[in-house]
């Protein structure tokens, strides 16, 4: 499944994983750019990364090596732990969290048999090198200081890339394809059909008008506490304007079976999606305490709702 090579075994103490062969799949694209980031951070070995992991993160060397070879798609807490262990700053980690969410949606689609092609992260655009300046004609040229090796913050590169890309896309639409006001975003839950449901069920439906650069999420609103309990990952959206939120858990474990809840469907921009993923990390994942959110983060817009009663 992984690439073969004639060099030393990958994942040995002190060894670094071999180069990742990109094939357009989300797991290989994630591994390639994660390796590129680690190279910028000094290319620490597997043992160095594992030794710097926080106490609450447990991972074998072989599992880490497989993730860095693109043989598995790692969870977000693992990616963040690897980056922090390698010395990444907060901006880099947060930018990677948003990129991971994008690749995770594509990986989920790929596992259902859909053909997907992953794209590089926003900060991966390579700048065209400028031609060398002509030598100064002067008897005593002023020495030119060596270029700084300080890396541009990943978040800044990501923001600039996104703004440039958005500007070009908007210009193209305005000049060639604009045909009137955009259809307002909306989403409808079609499955389950009944409004009385068990604690867990599979949820899906259709949507339209989802703004570019946003992800579709679902959250439970608890009338009793007045708080939102977002799902642990975005819903999968397809080209035919259907969505699948996977296995949905309505309410909390010990809530009464007669409790009523409202499920809200909403889209979230990159910043809001990152805040929702961070909430899942802070609460310890699906099995951690779930205090809920007093309000959804800025950058979210509710586009569909439906009320359910647990049976």
């Amino acid at each position: 499944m992984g690439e073969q090579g004639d060099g030393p075994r990958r994942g040995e103490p002190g060894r670094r994983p071999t180069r990742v062969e990109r094939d357009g799949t989300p797991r290989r694209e994630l591994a390639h750019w994660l390796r590129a980031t680690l190279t910028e951070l000094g290319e620490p070995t597997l043992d160095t990364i594992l030794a710097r992991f926080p106490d609450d993160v447990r991972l074998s060397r072989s599992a880490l090596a497989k993730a860095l070879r693109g043989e598995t798609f790692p969870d977000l807490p693992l990616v963040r732990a690897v980056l922090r262990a390698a010395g990444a700053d907060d901006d880099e980690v947060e930018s990677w969290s948003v990129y991971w969410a994008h690749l995770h949606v594509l990986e989920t689609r790929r596992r259902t048999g859909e053909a997907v092609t992953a794209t590089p992260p926003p900060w991966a655009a390579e700048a065209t090198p400028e031609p060398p300046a002509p030598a100064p004609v002067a008897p005593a040229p002023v020495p030119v200081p060596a270029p700084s090796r300080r890396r541009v913050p990943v978040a800044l590169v990501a923001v600039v890339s996104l703004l440039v890309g958005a500007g070009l896309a908007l210009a193209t639409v305005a000049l060639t394809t604009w045909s009137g006001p955009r259809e307002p975003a909306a989403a409808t839950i079609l499955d389950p059909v009944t409004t009385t449901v068990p604690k867990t069920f599979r949820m899906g439906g259709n949507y339209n008008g989802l703004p570019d650069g946003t992800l579709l999420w679902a959250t439970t609103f608890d009338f009793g506490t007045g708080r939102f309990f977002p799902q642990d990952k975005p819903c999968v959206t397809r080209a035919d304007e259907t969505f699948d939120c996977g296995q949905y858990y309505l309410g909390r474990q010990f809530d009464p079976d007669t409790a009523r809840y409202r499920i809200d469907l909403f889209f979230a921009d990159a910043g809001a999606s990152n805040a929702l993923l961070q909430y899942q990390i802070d609460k310890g994942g699906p099995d951690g305490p779930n205090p809920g959110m007093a309000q959804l983060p800025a950058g979210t817009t509710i586009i569909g709702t439906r009320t359910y009663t647990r049976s």
Side-chain angles (χ1 to χ4, degrees):
M1 188 171 178
E3 299 78 34
Q4 301 298 321
D6 297 326
R9 289 186 303 158
R10 293 162 291 193
E12 289 182 340
R15 303 289 184 182
R16 297 175 177 85
T18 58
R19 181 173 61 90
V20 176
E21 295 293 340
R22 300 166 66 190
D23 58 5
T25 59
R27 60 179 62 182
R28 288 288 182 88
E29 201 71 6
L30 185 147
H32 172 81
W33 292 110
L34 185 56
R35 287 293 313 282
T37 300
L38 294 178
T39 298
E40 292 181 3
L41 296 170
E43 199 171 7
T45 65
L46 296 180
D47 279 347
T48 299
I49 294 173
L50 289 170
R52 295 175 181 172
F53 266 22
D55 294 338
D56 58 345
V57 177
R58 294 287 184 267
L59 187 72
S60 67
R61 185 186 295 109
S62 61
L64 177 58
K66 287 181 179 179
L68 292 177
R69 290 198 301 267
E71 295 180 12
T72 60
F73 191 88
D75 293 334
L76 179 58
L78 170 61
V79 173
R80 291 172 66 95
V82 168
L83 291 168
R84 292 199 181 280
D89 58 32
D90 290 342
D91 287 341
E92 290 172 309
V93 174
E94 298 312 317
S95 295
W96 256 102
S97 297
V98 176
Y99 184 53
W100 178 92
H102 165 70
L103 292 181
H104 182 265
V105 171
L106 294 181
E107 175 68 7
T108 303
R109 292 178 178 174
R110 187 195 66 80
R111 292 175 181 176
T112 62
E114 184 177 344
V116 299
T117 300
T119 56
W123 63 83
E126 298 181 0
T128 303
E130 297 182 0
V137 181
V142 178
V144 179
S148 171
R149 295 183 63 83
R150 179 185 176 92
R151 292 183 292 108
V152 177
V154 171
L156 177 59
V157 176
V159 170
V160 172
S161 300
L162 288 172
L163 290 177
V164 171
L168 291 175
L170 289 174
T172 302
V173 171
L175 293 175
T176 62
T177 63
W178 188 83
S179 59
R182 182 166 184 161
E183 185 178 10
T188 303
I189 300 173
L190 300 179
D191 185 20
V193 177
T194 62
T195 56
T196 301
V197 295
K199 293 180 181 179
T200 60
F201 52 87
R202 192 169 188 88
M203 188 173 78
N206 56 28
Y207 72 95
N208 61 268
L210 199 66
D212 295 337
T214 63
L215 297 174
L216 181 66
W217 288 78
T219 182
T220 299
F221 179 78
D222 181 6
F223 293 103
T225 62
R227 300 181 73 85
F228 296 91
F229 297 86
Q231 198 176 21
D232 60 351
K233 59 183 179 297
C235 301
V236 175
T237 53
R238 306 186 182 93
D240 62 356
E241 295 191 336
T242 62
F243 68 84
D244 183 357
C245 296
Q247 197 71 12
Y248 199 94
Y249 193 96
L250 188 65
R252 290 163 297 182
Q253 181 177 3
F254 299 108
D255 287 349
D257 288 339
T258 56
R260 291 177 62 252
Y261 301 93
R262 187 185 72 218
I263 295 180
D264 294 331
L265 298 169
F266 63 95
F267 64 78
D269 61 19
S273 292
N274 187 51
L276 292 164
L277 291 169
Q278 185 62 52
Y279 169 78
Q280 299 298 330
I281 294 171
D282 292 342
K283 78 180 184 65
D287 297 327
N290 195 0
M293 307 176 77
Q295 59 185 11
L296 295 175
T300 60
T301 300
I302 295 176
I303 57 175
T305 64
R306 194 174 184 192
T307 301
Y308 288 91
T309 302
R310 267 191 4 186
S311 59

